[in-house]
Amino acid sequence: MDADQTTPRLSGVAVFFYVFLPFALGHYLSSLLRNVNAVLAPQLVGALALTPGQLGLLTSAFFFAFALVQLPVGIALDRYGPRKVQLVLMFLAASGAWMFGHGHSFAQLVVARAIIGLGLGGCFMSAVKAISIWISPKKLPSVQGYLIAVGGLGAASSTMPVRALLQHTDWRGLFILLAVLSACSGLLIWLVSPRSKPQGGKAPTVRSVLDVYRTPAFRNTISLVLLPHAVFFGIQGLWIGRWLSDVARFPESAVAYLLYMGMASVIFGAIAVGMITEWAGRRGIRSLDVAAVGVALFVIVQALLVIGYKPSLQTLSVLFTLVGTITGIEYAIVAQSLPRELTGRAATCLNLLIFIGAFLVQAGFGQVVGFWRPDLLGHYPAQAYRVAFGVLVLLQLPGLIRYYLDFLRRRRPVKCGIALLAEKEEYEIGTLRSPR
């Protein structure tokens, strides 16, 4: 079939096997590569004698490159479709992983990590775009929840499974294997996923992408969820593991296990978020209201990290990841509020902001911790992490406060309107019942 022809409407089973699974595999690998440095950090620090600032910069190079590629990828997705775009990007990611496995200096690894980020920059967007072509907007929250759950599975695979694999190879061999898997993923998408008709007409411009930022629904969503989402990505992918090692003083095996439990909780958290959002929608509760409750809980967990809630540091590390999955709801909120032909650009705008934020969070967190001196075993003091987490909490509070002030303003006229409507109905009923 020619690539420009329109594919007949697919059944639900066909969408699952030919659309969801191939693109979800790419998202799985993206999450694995994004988070794998949390487990590999001791090996990387030992091999290259990295400081916390260098470790943060090395790992966050993924986020910077990921953000850098968002605008061109979003335009390409709406113009050429996810099938063609993903083939090119997955091969680029494979080349970056191959370079990382053969790198021997800090600069080489930073460049290789950035190339991985460039290649994986379209995985989630492509999946969202492909799924939105074949399913109704009402089902987007739950299906995207399943997609995020697959990402959680990839994140979980970056912990204990990677640690087990390191018993048979080193971190270099691991990245060479991931390079091969990334290339195979791109080929699978090209061979299996259905061809869809290109958008046609004039190619989307950067200005048309920036127009998404001007929509009220987009602005309201990012003002509440953007910073928590950046914190979730930036801390989950590196620093929660270092916190378990330096503050809680768990050995590497225990850290890997707790990271696995946290990453695995993303699977259940993402599915639960999708189900709760749909349940709330049927009862007239906005998705943004659901997100606000989740963000508030997420900030509370971080506040407990600041004060050093000692009875259960293990539980806090898992709760950080579990509750943090609520931040992924902003993709569904924006996708529901914009026309279908803009979904690629909308996801682009979100990813651009989220991953720039994650880069700043991950690199900045390392710089703050680096102000303190490590002990003889290389552990940084708890005070360093408390200050770093405290800064993150303070940055997220304004968005929550703004939302709840807007919520109170919205509730006030609604109550007045209901009262006036009740008085009107009571008057009309009384008039009908009065004798003529």
Side-chain angles (χ1 to χ4, degrees), residues 193-432:
S193 62
R195 297 165 174 82
S196 58
K197 186 177 181 180
Q199 181 176 315
K202 193 174 180 180
T205 62
V206 173
R207 182 176 180 180
S208 70
V209 173
L210 296 178
D211 285 341
V212 176
Y213 288 100
R214 300 187 179 96
T215 60
F218 187 88
R219 292 199 306 271
N220 291 335
T221 302
I222 63 173
S223 67
L224 173 66
V225 193
L226 174 63
L227 271 175
H229 205 158
V231 169
F232 175 61
F233 276 173
I235 302 303
Q236 174 209 32
L238 178 64
W239 293 114
I240 199 68
R242 302 307 295 164
W243 177 82
L244 286 168
S245 177
D246 290 351
V247 177
R249 296 300 179 94
F250 289 115
E252 286 187 28
S253 58
V255 171
Y257 173 74
L258 289 171
L259 287 175
Y260 172 79
M261 294 298 294
M263 303 299 189
S265 69
V266 173
I267 302 171
F268 304 102
I271 294 174
V273 167
M275 295 175 64
I276 291 172
T277 304
E278 286 195 359
W279 174 86
R282 291 194 295 268
R283 286 156 179 79
I285 302 174
R286 303 186 312 161
S287 298
L288 194 61
D289 297 333
V290 176
V293 175
V295 167
L297 293 174
F298 186 51
V299 173
I300 290 173
V301 171
Q302 295 170 63
L304 293 176
L305 291 172
V306 173
I307 65 176
Y309 184 70
K310 291 192 179 296
S312 186
L313 296 179
Q314 306 98 310
T315 303
L316 281 181
S317 68
V318 176
L319 281 177
F320 179 89
T321 309
L322 175 64
V323 179
T325 57
I326 188 66
T327 57
I329 197 177
E330 62 182 328
Y331 288 104
I333 296 174
V334 172
Q336 286 177 316
S337 60
L338 293 177
R340 182 171 296 188
E341 63 271 13
L342 294 179
T343 53
R345 275 164 278 181
T348 290
C349 296
L350 280 178
N351 277 339
L352 177 63
L353 295 176
I354 291 168
F355 285 96
I356 286 177
F359 164 74
L360 295 174
V361 167
Q362 200 167 76
F365 198 96
Q367 295 296 330
V368 172
V369 172
F371 284 128
W372 281 260
R373 291 180 179 273
D375 59 20
L376 295 177
L377 297 176
H379 296 296
Y380 284 79
Q383 184 66 22
Y385 288 88
R386 288 177 182 173
V387 171
F389 275 115
V391 171
L392 295 181
V393 169
L394 292 176
L395 289 174
Q396 294 168 83
L397 284 179
L400 267 176
I401 294 172
R402 177 184 178 277
Y403 166 80
Y404 282 109
L405 290 177
D406 289 343
F407 178 79
L408 291 176
R409 281 195 291 267
R410 283 189 288 106
R411 293 287 293 175
R412 204 171 293 125
V414 168
K415 290 181 178 179
C416 294
I418 292 175
L420 290 174
L421 181 61
E423 290 179 4
K424 180 181 178 181
E425 291 180 348
E426 183 178 353
Y427 171 78
E428 290 178 349
I429 293 174
T431 302
L432 290 173

Side-chain angles (χ1 to χ4, degrees), residues 55-71:
L55 179 62
L57 180 61
L58 170 61
T59 306
S60 63
F62 178 98
F63 291 121
F64 180 77
F66 205 106
L68 194 64
V69 79
Q70 294 308 299
L71 288 178

Side-chain angles (χ1 to χ4, degrees), residues 129-209:
K129 181 67 177 179
I131 290 170
S132 66
I133 292 173
W134 301 104
I135 68 169
S136 65
K138 292 181 180 180
K139 295 183 179 180
L140 278 177
S142 59
V143 176
Q144 290 186 15
Y146 298 141
L147 182 62
I148 295 173
V150 172
L153 183 60
S157 299
S158 70
T159 56
M160 289 186 68
V162 164
R163 180 175 171 80
L165 189 60
L166 290 175
Q167 297 177 5
H168 305 283
T169 184
D170 60 1
W171 59 272
R172 297 184 185 278
L174 171 66
F175 272 90
I176 292 173
L177 174 62
L178 291 173
V180 174
L181 292 176
S182 298
C184 291
S185 173
L187 281 175
L188 180 66
I189 290 173
W190 176 258
L191 296 174
V192 173
S193 62
R195 297 165 174 82
S196 58
K197 186 177 181 180
Q199 181 176 315
K202 193 174 180 180
T205 62
V206 173
R207 182 176 180 180
S208 70
V209 173

Side-chain angles (χ1 to χ4, degrees), residues 41-95:
Q43 287 83 356
L44 295 173
V45 169
L48 301 172
L50 301 177
T51 66
Q54 288 177 320
L55 179 62
L57 180 61
L58 170 61
T59 306
S60 63
F62 178 98
F63 291 121
F64 180 77
F66 205 106
L68 194 64
V69 79
Q70 294 308 299
L71 288 178
V73 167
I75 292 173
L77 282 174
D78 284 334
R79 177 62 176 170
Y80 303 109
R83 179 173 171 269
K84 293 180 180 178
V85 172
Q86 272 301 87
L87 176 67
V88 175
L89 291 181
M90 292 308 291
F91 272 91
L92 182 61
S95 67

